[in-house]
């Protein structure tokens, strides 16, 4: 055991320094206190809605706004203008497809669910709820699955309706834009020290 006063090495069982006579019984306690302080500081370093969680928060703030705008701009006319719905779902129409009705109904339903879901996630995020990481992971996975199904349905519709003016080869798959966030944020939620030490309520 090293004396904190004269730096002399003493026997571990010694109570006083053999050179200067300093009390050695306080050394282990001081070492334990220092280790505990360092451990506490390291834990506090990864607590709070900082680091990469800022990007998660910004995404959650913008998500309900974007979904709400899509519902208003793209799907509200289907409700208010019955002619649009009839044109898409009535046999004999130039742009009729049997897939329009289930596709549009799925899109409206899922977007309403996602609108509510993202608001709920936002509340859990700022409350630092322990339920947030799991529900956010499920949301990312379900969102990717939904976009993949939606892309497949739209792919089939465009194959049936060349009159739409967009060939199958030119179709933009919206699910591709969700792949990168999914493969980034799911591992982050599972492995991040900040996530584990922040969402504890």
């Amino acid at each position: 055991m090293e004396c904190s006063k004269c730096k002399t090495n003493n026997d571990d069982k010694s109570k006083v320094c053999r050179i200067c006579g300093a009390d050695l019984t306080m050394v282990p306690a001081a070492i334990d206190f220092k280790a505990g302080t360092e451990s506490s500081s390291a834990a506090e370093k990864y607590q709070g809605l900082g680091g990469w969680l800022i990007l998660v928060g910004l995404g959650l703030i913008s998500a309900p706004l974007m979904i709400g705008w899509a519902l208003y701009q793209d799907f509200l006319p289907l409700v208010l203008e019955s002619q649009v719905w009839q044109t898409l779902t009535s046999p004999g129409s130039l742009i009729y497809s049997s897939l329009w009705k289930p596709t549009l109904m799925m899109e409206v339903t899922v977007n309403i669910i996602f609108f509510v879901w993202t608001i709920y996630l936002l509340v859990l995020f700022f409350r630092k709820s322990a339920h947030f990481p799991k529900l956010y992971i499920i949301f990312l996975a379900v969102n990717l699955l939904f976009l993949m199904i939606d892309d497949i349905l739209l792919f089939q519709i465009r194959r049936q309706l060349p009159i739409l003016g967009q060939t199958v080869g030119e179709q933009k798959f919206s699910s591709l834009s969700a792949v990168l966030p999914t493969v980034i944020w799911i591992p982050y939620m599972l492995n991040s020290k900040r996530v584990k030490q922040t969402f504890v309520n």
Side-chain angles (χ1 to χ4, degrees), residues 32-181:
D32 290 342
F33 176 78
K34 182 179 179 181
T37 303
E38 292 176 348
S39 177
S40 176
S41 299
E44 291 176 358
K45 177 182 178 182
Y46 292 104
Q47 288 180 349
L49 300 175
W52 292 106
L53 286 179
I54 294 175
L55 296 180
V56 176
L58 291 175
L60 287 173
I61 292 172
S62 63
L65 298 176
M66 295 173 63
I67 296 171
W69 176 250
L71 287 169
Y72 171 78
Q73 185 180 40
D74 299 333
F75 300 116
L76 188 60
L78 296 176
V79 177
L80 299 180
E81 302 176 21
S82 58
Q83 185 177 357
V84 176
W85 176 262
Q86 291 176 359
T87 301
L88 294 173
T89 60
S90 298
S93 170
L94 290 176
I95 55 174
Y96 167 77
S97 170
S98 59
L99 294 175
W100 272 129
K101 187 174 183 178
T103 300
L104 293 173
M105 291 181 66
M106 179 192 71
E107 288 182 344
V108 171
T109 302
V110 172
N111 275 284
I112 291 174
I113 293 173
F114 280 1
F115 179 76
V116 176
W117 196 343
T118 51
I119 292 177
Y120 182 56
L121 283 173
L122 196 57
V123 172
L124 294 180
F125 179 80
F126 284 108
R127 287 184 176 178
K128 302 177 184 177
S129 170
H131 299 296
F132 172 78
K134 183 185 294 184
L135 290 177
Y136 185 61
I137 288 172
I138 295 173
F139 170 76
L140 291 172
V142 172
N143 179 59
L144 179 59
L145 178 63
F146 159 67
L147 291 176
M148 291 174 66
I149 294 173
D150 194 52
D151 280 341
I152 291 172
L153 291 171
L154 293 176
F155 179 85
Q156 294 301 323
I157 291 173
R158 288 188 172 93
R159 287 187 62 185
Q160 297 173 7
L161 301 171
I163 195 173
L164 289 179
Q166 184 179 43
T167 65
V168 172
E170 295 172 341
Q171 179 182 351
K172 295 180 179 179
F173 295 96
S174 57
S175 58
L176 294 178
S177 63
V179 172
L180 186 59

